[in-house]
Amino acid sequence: MQHTMVPSDRVEHVAVFGRDGMKLGTIERLMLDKVSGTVAYAVIKTGGLLGTHHHYPVQWSALRYDPAQQAFRVELIEDDLRSGPCEFDGDAFDWGDRSRSYPHPHYWTV
């Protein structure tokens, strides 16, 4: 029987595909809740123009591992990502602060 545990460094850089089958990006990092010890969300890195990257948080529970593709799937499309928080390379952003509001009404629940 294959176990379901995986070290975090094996999750980083794994591809993420949206519900339309298009690659959204890769997992850049996992954000862990220090109190509960659970993964709260993943930061997805997408390619941008001229080599810049955008970074989007996606709730960890929304990601599903697809062993056939050795990638994650999420019920979002690129437009859904764009409706939420986004940071660019080099931005000083507190990824632990989820208090800001964003246009997508259920951003932190998808």
Side-chain angles (χ1 to χ4, degrees):
M1 180 176 167
Q2 191 174 39
H3 63 80
T4 59
M5 302 297 287
V6 63
S8 62
D9 63 339
R10 303 257 335 253
V11 173
E12 294 167 358
H13 312 294
V14 173
V16 177
F17 290 88
R19 71 173 177 262
D20 58 3
M22 300 297 293
K23 183 177 177 184
L24 296 174
T26 59
I27 295 177
E28 179 179 24
R29 67 176 52 108
L30 301 178
M31 297 300 294
L32 301 134
D33 184 297
K34 290 188 283 187
V35 177
S36 71
T38 60
V39 176
Y41 60 95
V43 177
I44 307 299
K45 180 172 77 171
T46 64
L49 297 174
L50 305 173
T52 60
H53 295 93
H54 300 82
H55 310 268
Y56 300 95
V58 172
Q59 189 173 13
W60 180 246
S61 61
L63 293 161
R64 298 288 177 253
Y65 186 69
D66 180 347
Q69 276 199 303
Q70 296 188 346
F72 286 91
R73 295 199 167 277
V74 67
E75 288 297 314
L76 300 172
I77 58 172
E78 190 174 349
D79 286 345
D80 295 327
L81 284 181
R82 289 183 182 168
S83 74
C86 173
E87 299 304 322
F88 300 98
D89 285 339
D91 282 352
F93 181 67
D94 180 1
W95 283 105
D97 179 10
R98 292 171 48 166
S99 63
R100 296 180 1 194
S101 60
Y102 301 103
H104 192 288
H106 304 292
Y107 194 79
W108 292 110
T109 60
V110 291

